[in-house]
Amino acid sequence: MPAQYSGDEGQSRYERMLQGYLSGELRIVNAGLPRSQKTLAVLLREEYPHLLCHDGSTQLIKRKELDYLASMLDAGEQEALLLPMLIELGGDQSQATILCAGEVEEKVISTILNMPLRQGQPLSRTPAVPPVPTSAVPPASTTPAGLPVSTRERETITIYRPQLALLRKRLKTTTQYLFSQKSSAPDPSLTNSIE
Amino acid sequence: MPQLIRVRPTKIELVKLKRRLSLALRVQKIVKDRLSILTMEFLQTARETVESKRNLLDEMSQMYRALSIAAGYHGYVALEKELLASKADVAVTTGLRNVAGVRIPALEFKEPAKSMRGYSLLETSSCVDHAAQLARKSLKAIVELAELQRGLELLGMEINRTKRITNALEYIIIPSLQATIHYLAMKFEERDREEKGRLKRVKVLLARKE
């Protein structure tokens, strides 16, 4: 008989702790998300470029990064680029997805990563579709450096871990991580009722 | 060996335990994602810190060399007199940036709008200009290094905390839930078998009576 510990009176407490932790962890990791995005042009005009976050704090945007982004975009594109760019972590840990509203993001990312983005599907203006985890499927093509080519499909750009590091190195304050619950969907076999 | 949670052996409890396990697995997934992101950021910051420190040391050594040359050319007293007037406040823009839930200070050295040197250009040589220029570059490097080092410390602390949570989930909470679910499932199977045996026995007794 395996060892037992008393959990009778702690049962609900235990469950509450786990639930509290899940919501707490999601709140902590997503606390830095902005209340609203600002365009690059607007941020360039501000004396101290900043964004308001969900937890009420402000996030400083470095002027150096804004100048760098402005140097690769024309005036019209500066009005279209929304910052910070949101990086959603995918189902598996090898890739991440950048949520984007237009093609300016595509230009920025392909310039920073110094590689073209492979067209996954015809571009359309539909809402963002969650990426399908493709951990088992190797990337279709690679760059001369051996990195997999990123893909752009339906309002999202999929990049891989080495590219994410490269992107974060250049754009520290103008990108933001987004942790979603969908990547941690529950196993249906564990949520079923009495069999 | 994982500890069993003491629960009533009922199917309701089994369902509750399964729900709890599902929740624990979701928490584990998020925590692991976060840990991997924090580790990536930590390694990147560590690399940048090393590079920044090397830059700072180079710039400082160049600056001191230029200052020594200037002091040798003008003399300490004259140089000190000129530099007294060149004192100026350093403007640094400060703020926070959030990396996967960790608030890291963001510092940005603000370049002065005009290069107001403060000392007389007529009475000093280009050696002083050169030293002043290098000193400004060193200041910029100091601010950059301060930001990186503080970020490195905060990321390291958060990684430790997250690792403890991941380990607790991976080695204690989830195994104990799985073991309890397994134990209850076995118990129900055993009860079913007993029930079948009992029914057979009753059937035999009834058959004998008839």
Side-chain angles (χ1 to χ4, degrees):
Chain A
M1 175 81 185
Q4 295 192 339
Y5 70 82
S6 170
D8 250 6
E9 45 103 34
Q11 243 186 66
S12 55
R13 188 177 52 127
Y14 187 78
E15 203 152 338
R16 270 206 307 276
M17 184 202 82
L18 270 178
Q19 268 162 354
Y21 192 76
L22 176 67
S23 55
E25 194 66 17
L26 274 174
R27 204 174 50 240
I28 289 170
V29 294
N30 289 330
L33 286 180
R35 278 192 188 160
S36 61
Q37 288 170 301
K38 287 182 185 174
T39 63
L40 174 61
V42 168
L43 285 169
L44 279 168
R45 281 194 290 270
E46 287 181 7
E47 192 186 353
Y48 297 104
H50 70 280
L51 289 161
L52 270 177
C53 300
H54 265 293
D55 60 348
S57 63
T58 53
Q59 169 155 342
L60 179 80
I61 305 283
K62 288 197 173 180
R63 192 157 285 280
K64 195 171 70 179
E65 285 176 29
L66 293 178
D67 291 340
Y68 173 67
L69 286 171
S71 70
M72 65 174 86
L73 300 172
D74 60 39
E77 288 169 331
Q78 286 175 17
E79 290 286 349
L81 180 66
L82 286 170
L83 294 173
M85 284 188 264
L86 297 177
I87 303 170
E88 189 180 11
L89 294 171
D92 61 345
Q93 292 182 4
S94 67
Q95 55 178 248
T97 308
I98 296 167
L99 306 177
C100 52
E103 288 176 21
V104 189
E105 285 89 347
E106 184 186 342
K107 185 181 174 184
V108 168
I109 289 158
S110 64
T111 311
I112 292 169
L113 300 178
N114 197 20
M115 64 170 69
L117 297 185
R118 181 162 54 83
Q119 204 100 340
Q121 287 171 12
L123 303 182
S124 61
R125 292 280 165 263
T126 52
V129 170
V132 181
T134 52
S135 55
V137 183
S141 52
T142 54
T143 60
L147 290 173
V149 170
S150 312
T151 55
R152 186 200 198 295
E153 41 188 73
R154 290 178 191 254
E155 312 294 311
T156 62
I157 299 170
T158 306
I159 57 170
Y160 294 88
R161 197 44 75 88
Q163 295 160 345
L164 179 62
L166 207 65
L167 185 69
R168 284 285 298 171
K169 192 179 174 185
R170 298 309 298 262
L171 307 176
K172 276 182 187 162
T173 55
T174 46
T175 53
Q176 191 62 254
Y177 290 117
L178 166 68
F179 292 83
S180 66
Q181 247 181 317
K182 72 184 172 197
S183 60
S184 57
D187 184 358
S189 70
L190 294 174
T191 51
N192 57 3
S193 56
I194 303 166
E195 288 145 16
Chain B
M1 185 159 198
Q3 281 188 321
L4 284 185
I5 303 164
R6 191 181 295 167
V7 287
R8 284 191 307 270
T10 59
K11 295 233 169 175
I12 291 288
E13 288 298 335
L14 182 66
V15 172
K16 274 187 189 171
L17 283 174
K18 281 184 174 179
R19 279 194 199 136
R20 220 184 284 173
L21 177 62
S22 153
L23 192 64
L25 289 171
R26 283 161 71 187
V27 174
Q28 190 195 23
K29 171 81 185 64
I30 289 171
V31 174
K32 272 194 169 177
D33 272 356
R34 187 169 180 232
L35 183 64
S36 77
I37 287 294
L38 288 175
T39 313
M40 189 191 82
E41 291 281 340
F42 180 82
L43 291 174
Q44 202 164 300
T45 312
R47 275 193 288 269
E48 281 175 35
T49 308
V50 170
E51 202 177 308
S52 179
K53 202 171 246 181
R54 197 176 294 142
N55 276 350
L56 177 65
L57 287 174
D58 283 352
E59 274 160 18
M60 290 290 258
S61 67
Q62 278 178 27
M63 191 264 287
Y64 276 114
R65 198 175 303 137
L67 200 64
S68 307
I69 293 169
Y73 189 81
H74 294 282
Y76 280 110
V77 179
L79 187 68
E80 210 163 305
K81 193 190 84 187
E82 290 299 333
L83 292 184
L84 269 178
S86 69
K87 271 187 186 171
D89 289 333
V90 177
V92 178
T93 312
T94 61
L96 289 171
R97 66 186 178 99
N98 200 311
V99 179
V102 187
R103 283 185 190 175
I104 293 173
L107 309 174
E108 200 168 34
F109 186 75
K110 222 174 170 189
E111 294 282 352
K114 277 183 180 179
S115 54
M116 293 291 284
R117 291 189 171 122
Y119 52 81
S120 162
L121 289 174
L122 286 172
E123 289 172 21
T124 54
S125 67
S126 64
C127 301
V128 181
D129 282 352
H130 185 55
Q133 206 178 347
L134 287 170
R136 195 169 296 126
K137 272 175 85 178
S138 304
L139 264 179
K140 208 174 167 180
I142 288 170
V143 171
E144 200 183 306
L145 185 63
E147 182 193 343
L148 287 168
Q149 279 200 335
R150 186 66 189 139
L152 199 68
E153 279 170 23
L154 290 171
L155 284 170
M157 283 194 283
E158 194 62 24
I159 285 172
N160 269 340
R161 197 182 75 88
T162 316
K163 229 176 213 175
R164 276 201 299 276
I165 292 162
T166 316
N167 287 343
L169 280 167
E170 198 170 342
Y171 298 111
I172 297 170
I173 296 172
I174 291 172
S176 71
L177 282 169
Q178 281 169 338
T180 315
I181 287 170
H182 183 68
Y183 172 71
L184 284 187
M186 298 278 276
K187 195 148 191 165
F188 293 143
E189 277 175 23
E190 180 69 23
R191 206 179 277 174
D192 283 350
R193 277 194 294 275
E194 274 175 13
E195 191 64 28
K196 265 185 195 170
R198 201 176 296 127
L199 282 174
K200 274 183 185 172
R201 177 97 181 126
V202 170
K203 204 177 166 185
V204 170
L205 285 174
L206 285 174
R208 265 188 211 163
K209 272 188 183 176
E210 283 168 7

